[in-house]
């Protein structure tokens, strides 16, 4: 990450993995022949595969990105978690001396690795099935790949390609007001909670987790 002050760095694998699971839509950036290829795809993390886990997803065969992977192109998958505007009006210190400006809080994870493409239908089906099982788990009556006609699924598998990224390193940034005094942190958490928006409430919880004792 280009700019990562130490007080905003998040290095706990459990926290990084939790954000990826909660916000699985990755902005996936691949470097190819001097160009940056950017795609947005949901990815599933298998933490037990490889030293730092493996990300899995799939793209349309018509998407040229998968063919660019043959050259061992480096890539990064960016997972964006809670984010929210922070008003200086929530800082008690602002009311004391006025020296405060707005900011933006966010939590994000970057997963670096060299991606691989797989065309084998059985491999593609395995990735699709695992993604489906993960994201259908919360449904009252989970849809299964086998619910669709077999010939329909067979034809669909021909037009998608599986992507796997063995993660080489993780970078996490939790910009959640750790640089403010404890009184301001409490004010920020209260202000965010008062908005009632899910993302703001989630950010308020992250701020509270890091309030100075």
């Amino acid at each position: 990450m280009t700019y990562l002050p130490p007080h905003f760095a998040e290095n706990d694998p459990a926290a990084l993995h939790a954000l990826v699971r909660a916000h699985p839509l990755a902005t996936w950036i691949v470097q190819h022949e001097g160009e940056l290829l950017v795609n947005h795809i949901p990815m599933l993390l298998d933490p037990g595969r490889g030293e730092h886990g493996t990300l899995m997803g799939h793209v349309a065969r018509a998407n040229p990105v998968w063919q660019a992977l043959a050259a061992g192109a480096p890539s990064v998958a960016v997972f964006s978690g809670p984010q929210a505007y922070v008003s200086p009006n929530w800082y008690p210190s602002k009311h004391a001396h006025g020296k405060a400006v707005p900011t933006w809080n966010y939590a994000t994870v970057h997963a670096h690795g060299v991606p691989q493409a797989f065309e084998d239908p059985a491999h593609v089906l395995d990735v699709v099935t695992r993604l489906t099982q993960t994201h259908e788990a919360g449904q009252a009556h989970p849809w299964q790949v086998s619910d669709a006609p077999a010939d329909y699924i067979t034809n669909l598998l021909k037009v998608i390609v599986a992507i796997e990224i063995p993660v080489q390193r993780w970078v996490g940034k939790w910009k959640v007001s750790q640089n403010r005094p404890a009184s301001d942190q409490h004010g920020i958490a209260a202000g965010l909670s008062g908005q009632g928006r899910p993302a703001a409430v989630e950010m308020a919880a992250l701020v509270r987790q890091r309030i100075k004792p």
Side-chain angles (χ1 to χ4, degrees), residues 83-86 90 104 191-204:
Q83 52 84 25
Y85 172 80
V86 175
W90 298 337
W104 208 283
L192 289 168
S193 296
Q195 292 189 325
R197 296 183 298 104
V201 171
E202 196 172 356
M203 175 52 67

Side-chain angles (χ1 to χ4, degrees), residues 39-109:
N39 287 269
H40 304 275
I41 66 172
M43 290 188 173
L44 177 67
L45 171 64
D46 184 341
R49 289 182 55 196
E51 182 180 0
H52 301 292
T54 298
L55 293 168
M56 296 174 288
H58 60 82
V59 297
R61 182 174 289 274
N63 187 333
V65 67
W66 70 272
Q67 294 174 314
L69 307 183
S75 78
V76 58
V78 179
F79 299 88
S80 298
Q83 52 84 25
Y85 172 80
V86 175
S87 171
N89 285 327
W90 298 337
Y91 300 168
S93 61
K94 177 263 185 185
H95 300 286
H97 51 61
K99 297 177 182 179
V101 293
T103 191
W104 208 283
N105 277 5
Y106 57 88
T108 187
V109 173

Side-chain angles (χ1 to χ4, degrees), residues 161-184:
V161 176
I163 302 296
E164 295 191 0
I165 308 174
V167 180
Q168 296 173 335
R169 65 186 175 98
W170 294 95
V171 181
K173 185 174 183 179
W174 263 234
K175 183 180 177 295
V176 295
S177 303
Q178 300 98 315
N179 57 327
R180 303 300 307 182
S183 59
D184 285 354

